[in-house]
Amino acid sequence: RGDKGEFVQVMSPTHLKMKVWERGAGPTLACGTGTCALVVAAIRAGKIPRPGKEGVRVTLPGGDLFIEWREENNKVYMKGPATLSFQGKASLK
């Protein structure tokens, strides 16, 4: 079966590096929800301080994401590029 894993390195108080292993797929280029969870967990665990409006840069194999956890509303915001990674057709029966 297998599990999903996220491997993280703290590069600086506002920069994390992350690799993702997806169950059944192996290494992936990115994981938006996992990246958001990573930043919240790193702040709550005291690994990094809560940054200001600039957020935390998370470097993944597919590119950088910028995550902000706002104190005033306790919501997490993600910014980053979006690119087409594949295209295909499926036959649904």
Side-chain angles (χ1 to χ4, degrees), residues 1-7 20-26:
R1 290 184 357 154
D3 292 317
K4 176 179 177 170
E6 296 174 350
F7 305 92
V20 180
W21 181 274
E22 291 276 359
R23 174 181 50 238

Side-chain angles (χ1 to χ4, degrees), residues 54-76:
E54 71 278 358
V56 176
R57 176 168 61 119
V58 181
T59 299
L60 298 115
D64 287 352
L65 293 175
F66 297 86
I67 310 300
E68 181 188 352
W69 183 21
R70 294 189 186 164
E71 252 181 298
E72 69 267 10
N73 62 10
N74 202 35
K75 291 187 178 182
V76 179

Side-chain angles (χ1 to χ4, degrees), residues 21-58:
W21 181 274
E22 291 276 359
R23 174 181 50 238
T28 61
L29 296 177
C31 177
T33 54
T35 304
C36 291
L38 160 68
V39 170
V40 171
I43 292 168
R44 293 193 58 162
K47 302 296 181 185
I48 60 171
R50 186 188 287 251
K53 294 255 184 216
E54 71 278 358
V56 176
R57 176 168 61 119
V58 181

